[in-house]
Amino acid sequence: MDRLHSVSIIPDLCVGCTNCIKGCPTEAIRVRDGKAVIDDIRCIDCSECIRICPYHAKYAKTDNYEAVFQNRKKLKVVAVVSPVLYTQFARPVSRFAVLAAVKSLGFDYVYEESIAYASYLDSIKAQILEAGEATSHLSSDETMDILPLVSSTCPVVVRLIQMKYRTIIPRLIQLVPPMESVASFARQELEADGIDASLIRVVYFSPCPARNTQKAFPLGIAKSSVDLVISVHEVYSRIVRTIEDINVGEAVGHDSTIRCSESVYLSCAAIGGESESVGVSQFLTVDGIKNVMDILNEIESEHLEGISFVEPFACFGGCVGGPMTVMNRFTATSRLREIAFEKIPESAQDCIDQDKIFSKKWSEELPDNKAMQLSDDIVQAMSKYDQIDQLLSILPGLDCGACGAPSCAAMAEDIVQGRADFSDCIILRKGDK
Amino acid sequence: MKKSLMRLGVSPANVKRAAIAMYEAEINAVIHGGGGVAVVSVSPTEVKIEIIDQGPGIPDIDQAMVAGFSTAPDTAREMGFGAGMGLPNIKKNVDSLNIDSKPAVGTTVTMTVHFN
């Protein structure tokens, strides 16, 4: 079976404490033989388990930094930089110093992810306005059939919807994510310059593991344009020592290999940035995976009245709260606000280049994720459902987690699906004596 | 119910129809019937939802079906309910709807959603 996630376990550090199984929003973790195991289909890379684990036995798997320049020869290596990277550095380290430092690591080209945002936000706005138009003659109940639309920027949220909230799929704003737009734009530009496609390597600096998974299993597009994903903290650790020595003016002045956006688009790396930049008045922002689930439930039940646009992020604070960062999200958010208002220095004006990149709609439908379904056959599913019901009346209902499942209900399902055994319940075993 | 139907592999569109209808009927039972009982039965081809209350009954069912007609008290309206859209919204979402109501005995709303 394909591995659809990048959140991983270090078995040597895992003590089987069951903290993680309780915090997992898709019940994707079980403790088996004293070690946590992640279900490949259910895990959506939300990283709750990374945050919860007291033993640091969970981590976000990415590519190795060594792979970036491996077998380089004639390769052109392109960095696509998430704005979150800038927020890891305190004043006075400017965004342009960071870009220059990235170049000095050996990258041939540096593209800011934010160059995709001008067109991305325009497209979001157009879709909201179109939906608003379509509902203008409808009652408020009927309007809730269509609105709110939901941002697809956070890949964890898209995968959550794909698995547990499939009625919301039509409300997703189905646009190619900025990371992919920029990666494919960079490829086009380089190929237009006569560089052979096989000689281009695109590396994305990511705040979250879900974008690493997106590289191998893209959502809404057939194939990713990104070759490697490296974490923001990895890049941070490689430039932090040299960065203060960089003379920004010299470093990025009239550098034709750096592509930048206007400062304002950087704000989309924190929650609310997207909504405020889109400029619709009736928006709702929600962060934290559990809160996101509450709001998705509201949307699904059509109780969210008077809202046109929902901006959900699995991480608290948005992408600045991603697990592959160094700086806490509060400091990072504060820094982001500052950077998003920064005047671009004269010497870097030439690098501003965001008008040639256009947002595209998804070319592929979101495949079904049937992880929550008991069986493909409804008769069989109903029989399993009955068996689960019967088991639930026997299991103690304490949800203690000692069997390795997060709840007695999850345990009952595991037994029926042949993934666990009755004897794993220590409460029942105790009663036997 | 929503989660159960999803686990059985019922399509999202049908789950949504059943969930909205059930919610509206529950609200009616709470506002007008003083609460009640919900009975959900699933077969491989359909889900049947019965909402049974022992309230005052509906004097004129045809009138109750008209969008915007409401007898909900102010206390319900203050909470955002009682817009007179409940029964019309149910009718829109289900494949069959039967309302059995007797004055002072109660109301049973029976709704079915077919799966294909």
Side-chain angles (χ1 to χ4, degrees):
Chain A
M1 201 173 276
D2 286 335
R3 203 184 116 107
L4 296 170
H5 59 96
S6 300
V7 171
S8 308
I9 289 171
I10 308 166
D12 283 351
L13 294 180
C14 177
V15 302
C17 69
T18 72
N19 273 302
C20 59
I21 58 175
K22 297 265 181 189
C24 176
T26 57
E27 298 190 329
I29 315 176
R30 298 290 182 276
V31 175
R32 299 271 181 256
D33 301 322
K35 303 283 178 192
V37 183
I38 300 176
D39 184 300
D40 288 342
I41 302 298
R42 283 197 176 197
C43 174
I44 53 172
D45 283 325
C46 73
S47 305
E48 280 302 290
C49 57
I50 298 180
R51 299 180 176 106
I52 290 168
C53 182
Y55 302 94
H56 306 289
K58 306 283 192 336
Y59 73 109
K61 194 171 159 41
T62 56
D63 292 297
N64 284 326
Y65 186 80
E66 284 66 38
V68 172
F69 299 113
Q70 209 167 34
N71 299 325
R72 181 168 192 172
K73 295 172 192 146
K74 286 182 182 162
L75 275 183
K76 295 292 177 196
V77 188
V78 183
V80 176
V81 182
S82 160
V84 173
L85 181 63
Y86 316 135
T87 66
Q88 307 298 296
F89 298 91
R91 252 172 86 87
V93 176
S94 78
R95 158 190 175 200
F96 294 96
V98 174
L99 288 169
V102 168
K103 266 221 80 184
S104 71
L105 287 172
F107 288 91
D108 297 295
Y109 297 87
V110 181
Y111 283 68
E112 287 194 305
E113 185 184 18
S114 49
I115 62 172
Y117 267 92
S119 168
Y120 185 68
L121 296 169
D122 278 351
S123 302
I124 292 176
K125 185 169 190 173
Q127 290 198 25
I128 299 168
L129 291 178
E130 197 181 312
E133 196 81 8
T135 58
S136 56
H137 60 283
L138 299 178
S139 71
S140 71
D141 270 19
E142 289 167 325
T143 298
M144 282 189 282
D145 272 348
I146 298 168
L147 291 175
L149 300 186
V150 179
S151 166
S152 67
T153 304
C154 174
V156 172
V157 172
V158 175
R159 283 159 64 188
L160 180 68
I161 289 172
Q162 180 187 24
M163 189 190 314
K164 291 185 85 166
Y165 300 92
R166 277 151 60 195
T167 62
I168 294 180
I169 293 176
R171 299 171 184 268
L172 275 173
I173 297 187
Q174 307 188 347
L175 293 171
V176 173
M179 164 184 102
E180 288 293 345
S181 302
V182 177
S184 80
F185 175 68
R187 283 180 182 281
Q188 280 166 24
E189 280 205 327
L190 266 59
E191 283 177 44
D193 273 354
I195 299 169
D196 192 83
S198 65
L199 294 176
I200 303 167
R201 181 180 281 165
V202 179
V203 184
Y204 177 68
F205 299 164
S206 176
C208 89
R211 303 239 179 253
N212 184 55
T213 305
Q214 220 175 359
K215 174 195 72 185
F217 301 98
L219 300 164
I221 53 172
K223 191 183 173 299
S224 172
S225 300
V226 176
D227 297 301
L228 298 171
V229 172
I230 302 294
S231 70
V232 159
H233 69 66
E234 171 86 48
V235 180
Y236 171 87
S237 69
R238 281 174 196 270
I239 57 180
V240 66
R241 266 174 244 100
T242 57
I243 201 152
E244 279 176 29
D245 304 330
I246 288 176
N247 180 325
V248 177
E250 281 172 26
V252 296
H254 310 288
D255 188 335
S256 61
T257 62
I258 296 181
R259 305 273 188 285
C260 294
S261 75
E262 300 287 354
S263 302
V264 60
Y265 296 109
L266 303 174
S267 64
C268 295
I271 182 109
E274 198 170 294
S275 299
E276 279 160 30
S277 309
V278 163
V280 278
S281 50
Q282 296 156 320
F283 67 83
L284 179 153
T285 64
V286 54
D287 55 353
I289 190 83
K290 295 268 161 69
N291 297 333
V292 168
M293 288 170 76
D294 285 347
I295 291 298
L296 293 179
N297 276 322
E298 293 279 295
I299 298 173
E300 201 160 53
S301 320
E302 305 199 348
H303 298 162
L304 211 59
E305 203 172 337
I307 302 288
S308 329
F309 178 59
V310 172
E311 181 190 340
F313 279 101
C315 292
F316 280 106
C319 294
V320 288
M324 305 202 308
T325 56
V326 184
M327 193 56 81
N328 72 71
R329 67 184 147 96
F330 305 103
T331 313
T333 306
S334 156
R335 186 74 185 111
L336 188 72
R337 288 208 187 94
E338 197 176 15
I339 300 170
F341 283 107
E342 223 163 54
K343 244 192 105 200
I344 294 172
E346 200 57 42
S347 63
Q349 285 290 349
D350 288 357
C351 303
I352 304 297
D353 187 13
Q354 59 183 33
D355 299 332
K356 296 196 288 284
I357 179 164
F358 297 103
S359 199
K360 290 197 187 78
K361 290 189 179 173
W362 287 358
S363 55
E364 312 288 312
E365 263 186 44
L366 213 54
D368 280 343
N369 182 332
K370 294 181 175 170
M372 292 294 155
Q373 213 168 301
L374 292 173
S375 165
D376 275 340
D377 173 54
I378 188 164
V379 178
Q380 239 178 57
M382 287 174 70
S383 135
K384 284 182 176 175
Y385 194 96
D386 275 345
Q387 292 172 45
I388 290 171
D389 245 16
Q390 285 165 23
L391 286 177
L392 272 173
S393 63
I394 304 168
L395 291 168
L398 296 176
D399 295 341
C400 68
C403 61
S407 64
C408 291
M411 171 64 165
E413 183 175 335
D414 284 352
I415 296 173
V416 169
Q417 298 285 30
R419 295 187 294 244
D421 194 272
F422 239 115
S423 63
D424 294 332
C425 177
I426 60 164
I427 306 292
L428 285 183
R429 264 194 323 211
K430 213 166 128 193
D432 283 348
K433 276 174 195 161
Chain B
M1 183 201 60
K2 202 163 71 186
K3 199 180 159 199
S4 299
L5 291 181
M6 278 294 208
R7 289 174 83 193
L8 294 176
V10 176
S11 78
N14 287 331
V15 174
K16 185 174 163 183
R17 291 200 294 142
I20 290 174
M22 182 166 177
Y23 170 78
E24 293 288 5
E26 282 169 354
I27 294 288
N28 283 344
V30 171
I31 293 178
H32 304 284
V37 180
V39 181
V40 180
S41 33
V42 187
S43 84
T45 52
E46 63 180 33
V47 55
K48 190 173 91 180
I49 305 160
E50 289 172 279
I51 307 287
I52 306 149
D53 70 51
Q54 285 159 7
I58 306 170
D60 183 344
I61 293 178
D62 287 339
Q63 195 178 27
M65 291 305 298
V66 174
F69 176 80
S70 174
T71 58
D74 285 347
T75 46
R77 288 171 187 264
E78 275 162 16
M79 289 187 288
F81 301 110
M85 295 308 295
L87 285 173
N89 203 13
I90 292 174
K91 197 170 166 55
K92 198 180 80 185
N93 279 290
V94 299
D95 295 305
S96 81
L97 167 63
N98 183 54
I99 301 170
D100 184 14
S101 190
K102 291 191 185 71
V105 176
T107 302
T108 297
V109 177
T110 309
M111 306 163 280
T112 347
V113 169
H114 302 314
F115 294 152
N116 38 25

